[in-house]
Amino acid sequence: MYSRSHLKYILIILLVPVFLVSLIAADRENTVTNEEIEITSLNLNQVQNRSINYVGTENKIKIKSGDTIYSILIDLGVTAKLINRIASDKNAENFIRLKVNEEIYVTQNKEFLLLEKYDDEFYNLSLTINGDSFDYAKSRDDLKRLKQFKEFVITDSLYASGKKIDVPDSILGDLIYIFGWDIDYVYDIRNGDKVRILYENIYSKGRLIKTGDILAAEFVNRGEELSVIRFTQRGRKDYYSLDSTNIRKAFLRTPIEFARISSHYNPNRKHPILNTIKAHKGTDYAAKRGTPVKVTGDGVIKTMKYSNSYGNYIDVIHYNKYLTRYAHLQSFSKNIKLGAKVQQGDTIGFVGSTGLATGPHLHYEFHIDGKHTDPVKVEPPNAQSINSFNKKYFDKLASERKQLIKKLTAI
Ligand SMILES: [Zn+2]
């Protein structure tokens, strides 16, 4: 859930200034720990523990749009003839398929050219070129998950303050998402607010190959401390407060990110097309045709069909108590079908103007126990808390992580 990119949130945060005067604060640089091993001093030159033949200078190439294995290898002095042989080797298939932003580690000396990269499961894929011959290998060893701790005081925006001490974008995005359920970044943030994050970095052979998830975090907002602990329950990663309440709400505030409300819930509205008094039993969000519509809570697709008034619409039933309706859709997502389960945030359709609609918008309804409710005013319940089966394990983990943060905290 939280591995998604939250860049949009970051962009919003970038635009949010923090009020009040700037405080002078000593931000804490990173401390790395996995209980005993300090790895702050670890760098690539110290971990060249491969065969002596491979010792050479290691460079890292970041794949840009338009790069191909051909262009990369030509630049490294490999002949076109050999590249063609490599490219037609079935075993090297996964290696030669490049993705934008993927990193390739290149070690080169007089005899060898070694290229290495990592797949999504952290396997090391390597291509060794030695004269006219080449060899391809796949292995997963020396994989380490290490905890990283960072803390900072907010002096301008949350995003800018985090960037000052090199908190990775993915972590800041997740942080903003996690605390976004409780903190309004426009009105609530103050200079002097503190953030502490414990997250996971994944290393292989001393290389940082992936920034993982936030394991625990604290946000001291106007003197009030909010703590969250990551926990996986029924296969789903979520964040919980120390009393084991899920910090995620069971429903998103809106089915479209950053959309403008064009018409509120209003039981006495004059219908724009029928020109009669007809209650508006939902909220309209103006959005461009084709904008993804996200299901606001976990549930099951109960209806997906066309009606003259709603056009293409979807009803989703949640916990046998709630129903959400998404109308005037241009089309349904190909990933959903009648009776299928959906997870909060899944795209279920796209904004359109089918049925009785003056222009492209989403008509969103929220029903509780069969009754229409104003989607904007509804106070959504929290998603599922830690169940009794997991409680003991959660409490132990929460207390360990809390203590670790306490030990590392300096501000
Ligand atoms: Zn409407």
Side-chain angles (χ1 to χ4, degrees), residues 382-395:
N382 287 67
Q384 210 197 15
S385 310
I386 297 286
N387 59 36
S388 53
F389 180 79
N390 287 324
K391 184 80 169 77
K392 214 170 134 188
Y393 183 61
F394 172 82
D395 285 347

Side-chain angles (χ1 to χ4, degrees), residues 7 63 70 80 86 109 126-127 147 149 155 163 176 237 256 267 269 310 316 358:
L7 282 177
I63 300 303
Y70 192 89
I86 292 167
N109 68 11
S126 72
L127 174 69
K147 295 187 189 82
F149 177 74
T155 50
K163 284 310 277 182
I176 288 162
K237 282 181 206 168
I256 300 175
R269 184 181 74 153
Y310 285 123
V316 179
T358 47

Side-chain angles (χ1 to χ4, degrees), residues 262-265 269 271-272 279-285 310 327-328 356 361-365:
S262 54
S263 175
H264 273 281
Y265 182 87
R269 184 181 74 153
H271 194 280
H280 186 231
K281 292 180 170 175
T283 302
D284 289 348
Y285 292 95
Y310 285 123
H328 308 309
L356 280 182
H361 74 278
L362 174 75
H363 171 91
Y364 175 59
E365 289 181 17

Side-chain angles (χ1 to χ4, degrees), residues 164-186:
K164 270 187 211 156
I165 59 155
D166 297 324
V167 179
D169 275 353
S170 64
I171 294 294
L172 280 173
D174 286 354
L175 187 82
I176 288 162
Y177 174 81
I178 292 165
F179 286 109
W181 296 102
D182 288 305
I183 296 172
D184 184 321
Y185 294 114
V186 179

Side-chain angles (χ1 to χ4, degrees), residues 12 42 60 63 141 221 277 301 334 350 391 393 399:
I12 285 290
L42 191 142
K60 199 158 73 173
I63 300 303
D141 49 28
N221 178 227
I277 299 292
I301 306 279
K334 286 186 178 67
F350 302 92
K391 184 80 169 77
Y393 183 61
S399 125

